[in-house]
Structure formats: structure tokens, C-alpha cells
Amino acid sequence: VKAPLPDVIRRALADGVDLLRAIDGDSAAADALMAAYRDRHPDVRCTILEDRPPGSTRTERDLHLVHPDVGGISIAWREQDGSPWAVTYADHWAAHYVLSVDARPVTIRGALLALRSGAGPDVLGALVDEALIGTAVDALDPRLSDEQVQDEVDRARRALGLHQRTRFLSWLAEVGLDETEFVGLCTERVRRAAWEDVLTSGQIEERFTAARSDFDVVTVLEIIGCASSGAAHLRAALAQGSPWQALLERLPAGCTATVRTRRAFELGALPDVEAGIRIVVSRTPAEDLDAATVAAVRRVLVEAWLEERRAAARVHWYWR
Amino acid sequence: MVSKTLQSRRTDLRGEPRFAFTMAVNRRNATNLHALRNGPVLLQEQVEKRTELRITLAGDAVFAAEVDSQAAASTRVDWRRMAEPRLRWRTARLPDGVVESLSGLMRRMGLSFGAVDMILTPDGRTVFLEVNALGDWLFIEEQLDLPITAAVADLLMTRTVEAVA
């Protein structure tokens, strides 16, 4: 026969029900009520467990009491607010979505796939861009041949170094895709390329000629993360004619040096402009519209299109 | 235990649409059982699943499809809870006697069309869940290229002729 509950626990339980009923959504008030409750029951260790189900505006609280002679007891109190079970536990329509852009939803899985395929430092911006482009591609609905898709599947497999089928299948298992989905992703890539063809048609040469130097291939040495005094020291050394290679040998503490090769328009701003230094190591003028330069011009044209669309887009984030 | 709504329908809460899927009732949800006073739901034993079957019967035609609903966490309790068309259906070969049992059920219920949901359990049992007299079939027809619509059309034409005759 189990011993009856000690009076300290009985009192804490009865008082705990009142506590749970008194606590509302205001967390500051809840903290004060909880502190007073602890003062009234110094022999019982008590914790409030909070849960806010996804999509719900209500915070559910349970009270967990622990007494060395008894063990642990939890009390839950749920207000009878008239809501039917089926409504209380219904999924919010956006439960699987991260955001929507102009009413086009981006699922959690779609966002993870986009991130996996290299979203860059601006993750949120990349998700919005993907949705804008996805809408445009769907509106165009380019017709593809089986050969186009197969070529892309083969190219993607080669690019990933998946030359053997067994290795390909184990890679799919690692990333949580099946073959059909992999082909689907490749199909999307071909559709997007077809959309880019239409978007940039007749503009490549014009854009290239208008600002040819934007497409120069530039190699830069970037030194960031320096304290102001360190950056000033590096600038002074450069002004005195020190070669950039010499700077690498005596970098001030905390500085990080990176050599990057990009098209000129892709360099952007340094992450830490004030204390960072960028030195142009070499610059090769873009003279011809070779394949790599055409690809760069297409990126510029797509970026210009995106800039316009971003400004007008209605973006709604479901998770913050 | 799982809870299931009596009707598959969207509800609006504070102006935002929601949909109640079949859900596993855990101990925490059980503290809210009093909410059943405000609207009934079905509470059933939770049956462990290996895969799920959707069997569409239209007259004498039987189309069986199977889905691996256990592959993703979101679809384990209710395969309709899919965020995107990721679930892959495949045609299924039904265990012996299932077609005969379902046909008998349809006759006794006076149904000429029905979409039946069943579970294949890890130990090889086939568990009947329900027959949807107005069940959707297009999502299976499109994925598996099954002539369900044609079978329904044939059924309607046959019934019309019978009724006229």
C-alpha cells in the first residue's frame, strides 16, 4: 500500500491548479505568480513547462512538482474555451511552408533543397529569389525534350563524381532523395535555363558592350577582420610601395587574407569596409563573348530582372 | 490512439484556413479531451503501418495502389499531410481474399463506387480502415496512369441504361 501524499504536496497540488488558471499569456506576470508560488511551497521543487504548438497563439503550461519523498507529479489545466478538438488540432494551412512570395509557397523541404544547392550568404534573399524565378518559369512552362533532361541528369551526376550506379544510389540515400526526385531537380534546372534563354534573348551582346569592364576577370586579395590600427598599418605599407605578397608575411593579429577571382561586377562590397583592405592582384579584360562571359552576362541580366521583381513582391514569412 | 474528423473539411480559425488531419493522440493531447464535448471526432486504435493501400472500386473494376507513407515523418499518421507531391504511389497486388471481401462489403452497403483505405502492417496483416463513398481518385490515376475515370464513366453509363431499361 502506497503511503498517502504528504500534506506539503497536497497543498502544492491544490494551489498549483489555481496557479495554472491564474497564469495568462503575459510572461512577466507569469514569472511573478510563479515566484510567489515557490515562496509558498519552499519544500517542493516546481517548474512550469511551456509549450506553444506551431501555428497556435496559445501557450499551454503544465506544472511539474518534485518532492524527495514522493517523486514527480505534473498537473495540466486546459481552459474549456468552446473550441472543438478538430479545430484545436487542425494544421495551419501554412504548417509546411517557410514563406510565400506573391502567393507562391516555399515548403520547408523546398527551402532545404535550395539551401543545399548553395544559397550563398544571403539565405533568406536566395529563397525569395528562387520563388520569384520559379513563378516565372512556371508561367513560361518551357517544353523540354527527354534528351535535354537526360543530358542534364548525366551532367549533374558527373559533376558530383557519381560515375558508378552504386555510388549514385548511396549518395541519393545520403541526401534523402529518390531517383525520380533527382530527375525532377535536373528537369527544374533545364526549365530554368530555358527561361533564362528567353529572358536574356537578344540582350547579351548589348549588355556586354554597354559595360564591358563589368565582366573583366579580377583577382583580388582581401584582408578583413583587422582592428582599425592594423588596417591603417597595412594601408601605410601599401602606400610606401610594399608588394602585396609582403603584406601576407606580416599580417596584424586577427586579420584574415583571402585571394578571390571573380568577374568585376561580382566583387561587391567588402564584409568589413572600414577595417578591410582589397588589393587588385590582376585584372584580365573581357574581350570576347566566350561561354564563361555569356554566363556572366546572363547572371547580370537575371539579377536586374530579380531586382525589379523583388521590389514589387509580396513576401510573407511564416516562421520568425 | 488516433483521432479522426467525421468529415474532411477545411476550417477557418481567426480568418486562417486549417485542415484537421488524422492525428496520434498523445498523453499531452489527452488533457484536452474535454474539447470533444464541442464537436465529436472518431477515436480509434493506432495501427502500426508498413505501407498503406488505397483501393478504388468502380462496379466490377478494382484499382489497388500502395504508398510508403512511413518514409516521411509528416505522412506517417495521415498520408494526406504531405507538403508537396512527394509521396509515390505504386500499383499493388492485394493479398488473397481482400478483393472478394471488399466486393462483398460494397454489395452489402449498396455501393457501386468506393475508395477504400487499408493498412498493411509490419507483421503482414491487412487492416480495413474505411470506405469513402465520395473518395478522390484523380491523384492516383494521374500518377499511375490507371483508367479509373473511364471505369467510373462506364459504371455511370451502365447504370443509366439499367435505370432506363
Side-chain angles (χ1 to χ4, degrees), chain B residues 11-32:
Chain B
T11 53
D12 281 6
L13 189 61
R14 289 181 286 273
E16 297 202 309
R18 287 165 184 257
F19 190 86
F21 294 100
T22 299
M23 61 174 269
V25 180
N26 58 28
R27 198 164 58 169
R28 177 164 192 77
N29 305 138
T31 61
N32 205 22

Side-chain angles (χ1 to χ4, degrees), chain A residues 123-139:
Chain A
V123 169
L124 303 186
L127 293 179
V128 173
D129 290 353
E130 283 297 314
L132 288 169
I133 291 172
T135 302
V137 173
D138 285 350

Side-chain angles (χ1 to χ4, degrees), chain A residues 136-145 187 190-195 198:
Chain A
V137 173
D138 285 350
L140 180 67
D141 195 17
R143 296 281 156 228
L144 310 178
S145 68
T187 306
V190 182
R191 291 177 81 229
R192 177 174 171 161
W195 168 77
V198 173

Side-chain angles (χ1 to χ4, degrees), chain A residues 197-214:
Chain A
D197 287 344
V198 173
L199 178 76
T200 61
S201 172
Q203 296 184 65
I204 304 264
E205 194 160 350
E206 187 186 333
R207 179 66 183 83
F208 176 65
T209 312
R212 194 175 283 243
S213 61
D214 283 357

Side-chain angles (χ1 to χ4, degrees), chain B:
Chain B
M1 185 166 67
V2 294
S3 74
K4 183 172 177 157
T5 54
L6 300 178
Q7 275 184 309
S8 295
R9 54 185 291 191
R10 201 186 83 162
T11 53
D12 281 6
L13 189 61
R14 289 181 286 273
E16 297 202 309
R18 287 165 184 257
F19 190 86
F21 294 100
T22 299
M23 61 174 269
V25 180
N26 58 28
R27 198 164 58 169
R28 177 164 192 77
N29 305 138
T31 61
N32 205 22
L33 279 175
H34 57 75
L36 297 177
R37 293 174 54 189
N38 307 318
V41 293
L42 293 171
L43 295 172
Q44 300 174 342
E45 174 195 352
Q46 183 166 12
V47 180
E48 210 180 336
K49 298 171 182 174
R50 188 177 72 204
T51 59
E52 290 185 69
L53 297 168
R54 176 82 165 195
I55 302 140
T56 310
L57 300 102
D60 294 331
V62 180
F63 304 94
E66 185 175 16
V67 68
D68 182 11
S69 58
Q70 306 306 286
S74 57
T75 54
R76 273 177 203 150
V77 177
D78 189 336
W79 57 257
R80 295 171 301 169
R81 193 189 244 127
M82 51 190 171
E84 46 203 310
R86 196 187 172 210
L87 279 185
R88 304 247 178 276
W89 290 85
R90 54 181 178 261
T91 51
R93 189 173 176 280
L94 295 175
D96 291 344
V98 169
V99 171
E100 292 73 17
S101 298
L102 292 178
S103 298
L105 174 76
M106 298 287 282
R107 270 196 305 277
R108 288 179 66 175
M109 295 181 81
L111 293 173
S112 51
F113 172 86
V116 173
D117 290 328
M118 299 185 92
I119 290 172
L120 282 179
T121 66
D123 59 4
R125 288 181 301 127
T126 310
V127 179
F128 172 86
L129 295 180
E130 63 182 6
V131 54
N132 299 282
L134 291 171
D136 293 343
W137 72 80
L138 207 54
F139 65 101
I140 288 179
E141 174 166 302
E142 286 176 346
Q143 270 201 37
L144 302 181
D145 204 18
L146 295 173
I148 304 176
T149 301
V152 173
D154 283 349
L155 177 67
L156 290 171
M157 292 298 287
T158 312
R159 286 298 156 110
T160 305
V161 172
E162 281 175 3
V164 172

